[in-house]
């Protein structure tokens, strides 16, 4: 069982659940509030707080509802 789960929110961010570090393209770490059990990463591209989701996806017409293959 993985210690990190990344959950795709319908028409919203990628929610990362588990203990992770997040670095920028220069290798510097973003500060993550250790009290939070999950963080939401923007995948719509319009957040004013990238790479984090700030809820702006609700204002646009971003749509993403990919489904994983069923287990049958
Ligand atoms: S996914 Fe929420 S602001 Fe982009």
């Amino acid at each position: 069982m993985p210690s990190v789960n990344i959950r795709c929110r319908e028409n919203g961010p990628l929610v990362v659940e588990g203990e992770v570090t997040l670095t920028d393209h220069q290798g510097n770490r973003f500060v993550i509030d250790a009290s939070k059990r999950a963080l939401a990463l923007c995948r719509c591209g319009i957040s004013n707080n990238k790479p984090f989701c700030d809820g702006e996806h609700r204002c646009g017409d971003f749509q993403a509802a990919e489904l994983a293959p069923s287990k049958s």
Side-chain angles (χ1 to χ4, degrees):
M1 198 66 154
S3 58
V4 174
N5 182 58
I6 302 174
R7 182 166 42 90
C8 302
R9 295 261 328 256
E10 185 176 4
N11 304 327
L14 298 174
V15 176
V16 181
E17 302 162 322
E19 189 175 329
V20 297
T21 59
L22 179 62
T23 58
D24 66 17
H25 65 283
Q26 296 181 338
N28 301 308
R29 284 188 181 190
F30 287 93
V31 175
I32 298 173
D33 184 346
S35 68
K36 292 190 175 182
R37 299 180 60 195
L39 63 97
L41 298 178
C42 176
R43 65 173 171 155
C44 75
I46 60 174
S47 171
N48 294 305
N49 189 32
K50 293 183 195 82
F52 304 102
C53 170
D54 68 356
E56 282 294 315
H57 59 269
R58 296 186 199 107
C59 300
D61 59 359
F62 177 68
Q63 295 184 348
E66 304 85 358
L67 296 174
S70 63
K71 292 181 179 178
S72 60

